[in-house]
Each structure stands twice: as structure tokens, then as C-alpha cells.
Amino acid sequence: MRDVIIACDFPNAEETLRFLDKFKDEERKPFVKIGMELYYGAGNEIVRELKRRGHKIFLDLKLHDIPNTVKKAMRVLSALDVDMTNVHAGGGVAMMRAAIEGLTREDGSRPRLIAVTQLTSTSPETLKNELLIDTPMNDTIARYALNAREAGLDGVVCSPLEGALVKEACGPEFMTVTPGIRFADAKADDQCRVTTPARAREIGSDYIVVGRPITAAEDPVAAYRRCVAEFVGE
Ligand code: C5P
């Protein structure tokens, strides 16, 4: 099931569609991630359009609210028929259970649901001094992942470097979706802890989320194919 997810971090539908037009003749339709910027800018219409074009969609909205609100919001999102969406594990087990309930359709089907454990932008200092959490970062990540599994979620978003600890805590079937991917010969941009697609595969990531190495490449299709070759091995 390994796959490459392209982070479509564009401000509007036009730029997104112009970018994805480049992949029209690709045999493998890219799995795409729609994040807050594009969703807040282009709404449900861009989700439906990408669905019509045959893309699988990870709707990355990171919900975090009281259980009842999350459940109702997830009910709305489940009608959009995306393939994957997410919440913050920091909302707790009851909130994650409510999210699953809201996402599950009458026929029992639902999109995959994954949780953000700790944002990779949260440093150990922030955890301790601002959030007043004295537990070491990796222990909080393992516990949040276990909470997500207990609530019935399918996996977590985490850095590839944390993937092994999540698999160890939650088992090999529990999915890890990992951003922070860079080619060995490229710059890291603002990402601190990066990994190549090939290394992410070795570590056991199930999906890699790749933005700028593909979206800002001179030849995005070639960059996508390189990611697929390194990570999926086709
Ligand atoms: O351009 P780049 O490959 O860095 O994009 C990575 C994508 O993954 C972005 O959409 C970013 O918001 C997302 N992401 C991340 N780190 C996380 C969670 C999501 O980089 N912890």
C-alpha cells in the first residue's frame, strides 16, 4: 500500500489544477494532500474536482475541538468522500472516538483517519516551557499514538525518524504518514529533520507526504516519478 502523497500547498484552485494538469498522462494518478490553505481558499469544490479527476485525497485539516463538534464536522467531511483525513491526538481519546463515529457512513464505510501526535514544529523546549509537559518528546509521541490506536484510528502523521518508535509502540499495521522528505542532493528548506524517500521506505513509512521537492521542481513529473521509484520501488 506504500504511496507518495503530493502536498498541493497552493492558494487557489487555478494554480492547483494547472499544476496537476502536468500529470494528465501519468499512468499512476498521484495521491494528493489538500491542506488548510487550499481548503479554506477553494472549499469543497476543489475536493470534488480532484475526486472527479480520479485523484485519491488526503484532507489535512487537523481537527481539534470538543468531541461533539468534531463528530459533526467529520460527518460533513465524510460526505465529501475523501480517502484520508486527520485530527490532533491532543484532543484526547474521546474526541478521536467521536471523530470516527462522525466519519463512519451508514453502510459502515469511512475514510482513513489518522492523528497528528506532536507537530514537528514543536521543540522539546516549547513542550516543557510553554505547554508545561515534562515528559520527553518521544514518550509523548508514543503515548499519543497509542491513544489514537485505542480510539480506533488507522495511524499517525509523524516525522519518518519517529516512525520506528510508533511502529514499536502500536504494531506494524498501524500506519505512519510522514512528511519531511527531501532528495539526497537537495536543500532542506524550513524542514529540520529530513529523510530521503528511500530511507523513509527502509524505516517503514506507509505514505510519504512530499511538497516542494515536487511542486517547486523544474520538472515536477520527473521529481514525482523519482519519489515513486525510491519509495514504492516501481
Ligand atoms: O514542502 P514540504 O515537502 O516541506 O511539505 C510538507 C507538507 O507536509 C506540508 O504540507 C506541511 O504542512 C506538511 N506537514 C509537515 N510536517 C508535519 C505535518 C505536516 O511538513 N508535522
PDB file of all heavy atoms in Angstrom, residues 2 15 32 39 42 44 87-88 97 102 105 129 149 158-159 176 188 208 229:
ATOM      1  N   ARG A   2       2.193   1.111   0.086  1.00  0.00           N
ATOM      2  CA  ARG A   2       3.032   2.330   0.094  1.00  0.00           C
ATOM      3  C   ARG A   2       2.671   3.265  -1.054  1.00  0.00           C
ATOM      4  O   ARG A   2       2.458   2.815  -2.172  1.00  0.00           O
ATOM      5  CB  ARG A   2       4.501   1.940  -0.052  1.00  0.00           C
ATOM      6  CG  ARG A   2       5.205   1.597   1.236  1.00  0.00           C
ATOM      7  CD  ARG A   2       6.714   1.639   1.061  1.00  0.00           C
ATOM      8  NE  ARG A   2       7.142   0.915  -0.115  1.00  0.00           N
ATOM      9  CZ  ARG A   2       7.398  -0.384  -0.146  1.00  0.00           C
ATOM     10  NH1 ARG A   2       7.245  -1.107   0.933  1.00  0.00           N
ATOM     11  NH2 ARG A   2       7.796  -0.965  -1.257  1.00  0.00           N
ATOM     12  N   GLU A  15      -4.239  27.458  -9.590  1.00  0.00           N
ATOM     13  CA  GLU A  15      -2.831  27.022  -9.516  1.00  0.00           C
ATOM     14  C   GLU A  15      -2.731  25.516  -9.298  1.00  0.00           C
ATOM     15  O   GLU A  15      -1.859  24.848  -9.844  1.00  0.00           O
ATOM     16  CB  GLU A  15      -2.104  27.740  -8.373  1.00  0.00           C
ATOM     17  CG  GLU A  15      -1.581  29.100  -8.776  1.00  0.00           C
ATOM     18  CD  GLU A  15      -0.729  29.725  -7.679  1.00  0.00           C
ATOM     19  OE1 GLU A  15       0.194  29.061  -7.167  1.00  0.00           O
ATOM     20  OE2 GLU A  15      -1.000  30.892  -7.342  1.00  0.00           O
ATOM     21  N   VAL A  32      -3.119  13.033  -3.601  1.00  0.00           N
ATOM     22  CA  VAL A  32      -2.800  14.426  -3.279  1.00  0.00           C
ATOM     23  C   VAL A  32      -3.282  14.811  -1.885  1.00  0.00           C
ATOM     24  O   VAL A  32      -4.268  14.265  -1.386  1.00  0.00           O
ATOM     25  CB  VAL A  32      -3.405  15.412  -4.314  1.00  0.00           C
ATOM     26  CG1 VAL A  32      -2.819  15.169  -5.689  1.00  0.00           C
ATOM     27  CG2 VAL A  32      -4.916  15.333  -4.355  1.00  0.00           C
ATOM     28  N   TYR A  39      -7.908  24.395   1.166  1.00  0.00           N
ATOM     29  CA  TYR A  39      -9.304  24.115   1.535  1.00  0.00           C
ATOM     30  C   TYR A  39     -10.037  25.397   1.929  1.00  0.00           C
ATOM     31  O   TYR A  39     -11.162  25.634   1.508  1.00  0.00           O
ATOM     32  CB  TYR A  39      -9.367  23.087   2.662  1.00  0.00           C
ATOM     33  CG  TYR A  39     -10.786  22.644   2.940  1.00  0.00           C
ATOM     34  CD1 TYR A  39     -11.460  21.816   2.046  1.00  0.00           C
ATOM     35  CD2 TYR A  39     -11.456  23.082   4.076  1.00  0.00           C
ATOM     36  CE1 TYR A  39     -12.768  21.427   2.275  1.00  0.00           C
ATOM     37  CE2 TYR A  39     -12.773  22.693   4.317  1.00  0.00           C
ATOM     38  CZ  TYR A  39     -13.419  21.871   3.412  1.00  0.00           C
ATOM     39  OH  TYR A  39     -14.714  21.493   3.637  1.00  0.00           O
ATOM     40  N   ALA A  42     -10.365  27.366  -1.445  1.00  0.00           N
ATOM     41  CA  ALA A  42     -11.127  26.840  -2.593  1.00  0.00           C
ATOM     42  C   ALA A  42     -12.271  25.909  -2.194  1.00  0.00           C
ATOM     43  O   ALA A  42     -13.066  25.510  -3.044  1.00  0.00           O
ATOM     44  CB  ALA A  42     -10.171  26.125  -3.543  1.00  0.00           C
ATOM     45  N   ASN A  44     -15.019  23.045  -0.774  1.00  0.00           N
ATOM     46  CA  ASN A  44     -15.380  21.691  -1.179  1.00  0.00           C
ATOM     47  C   ASN A  44     -15.277  21.482  -2.684  1.00  0.00           C
ATOM     48  O   ASN A  44     -15.115  20.348  -3.146  1.00  0.00           O
ATOM     49  CB  ASN A  44     -16.814  21.376  -0.739  1.00  0.00           C
ATOM     50  CG  ASN A  44     -16.899  21.217   0.766  1.00  0.00           C
ATOM     51  OD1 ASN A  44     -15.883  21.121   1.436  1.00  0.00           O
ATOM     52  ND2 ASN A  44     -18.112  21.198   1.285  1.00  0.00           N
ATOM     53  N   VAL A  87      -6.999  14.384  12.655  1.00  0.00           N
ATOM     54  CA  VAL A  87      -7.305  15.172  13.854  1.00  0.00           C
ATOM     55  C   VAL A  87      -5.993  15.322  14.637  1.00  0.00           C
ATOM     56  O   VAL A  87      -5.012  14.647  14.337  1.00  0.00           O
ATOM     57  CB  VAL A  87      -8.320  14.446  14.775  1.00  0.00           C
ATOM     58  CG1 VAL A  87      -9.692  14.357  14.139  1.00  0.00           C
ATOM     59  CG2 VAL A  87      -7.824  13.056  15.179  1.00  0.00           C
ATOM     60  N   HIS A  88      -6.020  16.197  15.658  1.00  0.00           N
ATOM     61  CA  HIS A  88      -4.894  16.277  16.593  1.00  0.00           C
ATOM     62  C   HIS A  88      -5.117  15.271  17.714  1.00  0.00           C
ATOM     63  O   HIS A  88      -6.164  15.325  18.387  1.00  0.00           O
ATOM     64  CB  HIS A  88      -4.814  17.675  17.211  1.00  0.00           C
ATOM     65  CG  HIS A  88      -3.920  18.613  16.474  1.00  0.00           C
ATOM     66  ND1 HIS A  88      -2.552  18.533  16.533  1.00  0.00           N
ATOM     67  CD2 HIS A  88      -4.203  19.637  15.647  1.00  0.00           C
ATOM     68  CE1 HIS A  88      -2.024  19.480  15.784  1.00  0.00           C
ATOM     69  NE2 HIS A  88      -3.007  20.168  15.218  1.00  0.00           N
ATOM     70  N   ARG A  97     -12.499   9.171  19.250  1.00  0.00           N
ATOM     71  CA  ARG A  97     -13.612   8.221  19.066  1.00  0.00           C
ATOM     72  C   ARG A  97     -14.791   8.913  18.394  1.00  0.00           C
ATOM     73  O   ARG A  97     -15.434   8.360  17.501  1.00  0.00           O
ATOM     74  CB  ARG A  97     -14.081   7.671  20.420  1.00  0.00           C
ATOM     75  CG  ARG A  97     -13.143   6.651  20.991  1.00  0.00           C
ATOM     76  CD  ARG A  97     -13.908   5.644  21.891  1.00  0.00           C
ATOM     77  NE  ARG A  97     -12.989   4.616  22.326  1.00  0.00           N
ATOM     78  CZ  ARG A  97     -12.474   4.515  23.545  1.00  0.00           C
ATOM     79  NH1 ARG A  97     -12.827   5.381  24.494  1.00  0.00           N
ATOM     80  NH2 ARG A  97     -11.624   3.559  23.841  1.00  0.00           N
ATOM     81  N   GLY A 102     -18.343  10.127  13.675  1.00  0.00           N
ATOM     82  CA  GLY A 102     -18.844  11.085  12.696  1.00  0.00           C
ATOM     83  C   GLY A 102     -18.480  10.712  11.271  1.00  0.00           C
ATOM     84  O   GLY A 102     -19.250  10.921  10.343  1.00  0.00           O
ATOM     85  N   ARG A 105     -19.981   6.131   7.718  1.00  0.00           N
ATOM     86  CA  ARG A 105     -21.238   6.296   6.984  1.00  0.00           C
ATOM     87  C   ARG A 105     -22.231   5.201   7.363  1.00  0.00           C
ATOM     88  O   ARG A 105     -21.870   4.246   8.046  1.00  0.00           O
ATOM     89  CB  ARG A 105     -20.953   6.248   5.474  1.00  0.00           C
ATOM     90  CG  ARG A 105     -19.870   7.222   5.062  1.00  0.00           C
ATOM     91  CD  ARG A 105     -19.661   7.224   3.557  1.00  0.00           C
ATOM     92  NE  ARG A 105     -18.504   8.037   3.224  1.00  0.00           N
ATOM     93  CZ  ARG A 105     -17.291   7.555   2.948  1.00  0.00           C
ATOM     94  NH1 ARG A 105     -17.074   6.264   2.926  1.00  0.00           N
ATOM     95  NH2 ARG A 105     -16.285   8.380   2.690  1.00  0.00           N
ATOM     96  N   ASN A 129       8.472  24.287  28.366  1.00  0.00           N
ATOM     97  CA  ASN A 129       8.319  25.633  28.936  1.00  0.00           C
ATOM     98  C   ASN A 129       6.979  26.305  28.630  1.00  0.00           C
ATOM     99  O   ASN A 129       6.509  27.114  29.409  1.00  0.00           O
ATOM    100  CB  ASN A 129       9.456  26.538  28.454  1.00  0.00           C
ATOM    101  CG  ASN A 129      10.806  25.985  28.858  1.00  0.00           C
ATOM    102  OD1 ASN A 129      10.912  25.305  29.879  1.00  0.00           O
ATOM    103  ND2 ASN A 129      11.824  26.237  28.057  1.00  0.00           N
ATOM    104  N   ARG A 149      -4.580   4.714  18.524  1.00  0.00           N
ATOM    105  CA  ARG A 149      -4.914   3.318  18.219  1.00  0.00           C
ATOM    106  C   ARG A 149      -6.082   2.850  19.091  1.00  0.00           C
ATOM    107  O   ARG A 149      -7.006   2.194  18.614  1.00  0.00           O
ATOM    108  CB  ARG A 149      -3.688   2.421  18.432  1.00  0.00           C
ATOM    109  CG  ARG A 149      -3.875   1.048  17.800  1.00  0.00           C
ATOM    110  CD  ARG A 149      -2.780   0.101  18.148  1.00  0.00           C
ATOM    111  NE  ARG A 149      -2.760  -0.163  19.586  1.00  0.00           N
ATOM    112  CZ  ARG A 149      -2.052  -1.105  20.175  1.00  0.00           C
ATOM    113  NH1 ARG A 149      -1.275  -1.880  19.449  1.00  0.00           N
ATOM    114  NH2 ARG A 149      -2.092  -1.276  21.466  1.00  0.00           N
ATOM    115  N   CYS A 158       3.708  11.554  11.367  1.00  0.00           N
ATOM    116  CA  CYS A 158       4.879  11.811  12.200  1.00  0.00           C
ATOM    117  C   CYS A 158       6.098  11.956  11.314  1.00  0.00           C
ATOM    118  O   CYS A 158       6.044  11.669  10.121  1.00  0.00           O
ATOM    119  CB  CYS A 158       5.093  10.685  13.212  1.00  0.00           C
ATOM    120  SG  CYS A 158       5.386   9.077  12.460  1.00  0.00           S
ATOM    121  N   SER A 159       7.183  12.427  11.895  1.00  0.00           N
ATOM    122  CA  SER A 159       8.423  12.505  11.127  1.00  0.00           C
ATOM    123  C   SER A 159       8.892  11.067  10.879  1.00  0.00           C
ATOM    124  O   SER A 159       8.674  10.192  11.715  1.00  0.00           O
ATOM    125  CB  SER A 159       9.464  13.315  11.905  1.00  0.00           C
ATOM    126  OG  SER A 159      10.558  12.518  12.244  1.00  0.00           O
ATOM    127  N   THR A 176       2.000   4.857   9.380  1.00  0.00           N
ATOM    128  CA  THR A 176       2.722   6.110   9.597  1.00  0.00           C
ATOM    129  C   THR A 176       2.772   6.875   8.279  1.00  0.00           C
ATOM    130  O   THR A 176       3.158   6.334   7.248  1.00  0.00           O
ATOM    131  CB  THR A 176       4.157   5.882  10.127  1.00  0.00           C
ATOM    132  OG1 THR A 176       4.845   5.013   9.233  1.00  0.00           O
ATOM    133  CG2 THR A 176       4.147   5.267  11.511  1.00  0.00           C
ATOM    134  N   ALA A 188      17.102  21.532   2.392  1.00  0.00           N
ATOM    135  CA  ALA A 188      16.050  21.111   3.327  1.00  0.00           C
ATOM    136  C   ALA A 188      14.909  22.120   3.451  1.00  0.00           C
ATOM    137  O   ALA A 188      13.879  21.830   4.042  1.00  0.00           O
ATOM    138  CB  ALA A 188      16.663  20.866   4.702  1.00  0.00           C
ATOM    139  N   ILE A 208       4.530   8.690   2.183  1.00  0.00           N
ATOM    140  CA  ILE A 208       5.315   9.908   2.387  1.00  0.00           C
ATOM    141  C   ILE A 208       4.534  11.076   1.795  1.00  0.00           C
ATOM    142  O   ILE A 208       3.855  10.927   0.769  1.00  0.00           O
ATOM    143  CB  ILE A 208       6.742   9.838   1.786  1.00  0.00           C
ATOM    144  CG1 ILE A 208       6.743   9.425   0.312  1.00  0.00           C
ATOM    145  CG2 ILE A 208       7.632   8.935   2.617  1.00  0.00           C
ATOM    146  CD1 ILE A 208       8.123   9.500  -0.353  1.00  0.00           C
ATOM    147  N   ALA A 229       9.800   5.860  -7.526  1.00  0.00           N
ATOM    148  CA  ALA A 229      10.826   4.828  -7.749  1.00  0.00           C
ATOM    149  C   ALA A 229      11.576   4.522  -6.458  1.00  0.00           C
ATOM    150  O   ALA A 229      11.806   3.362  -6.114  1.00  0.00           O
ATOM    151  CB  ALA A 229      11.787   5.292  -8.838  1.00  0.00           C
TER     152      ALA A 229
END
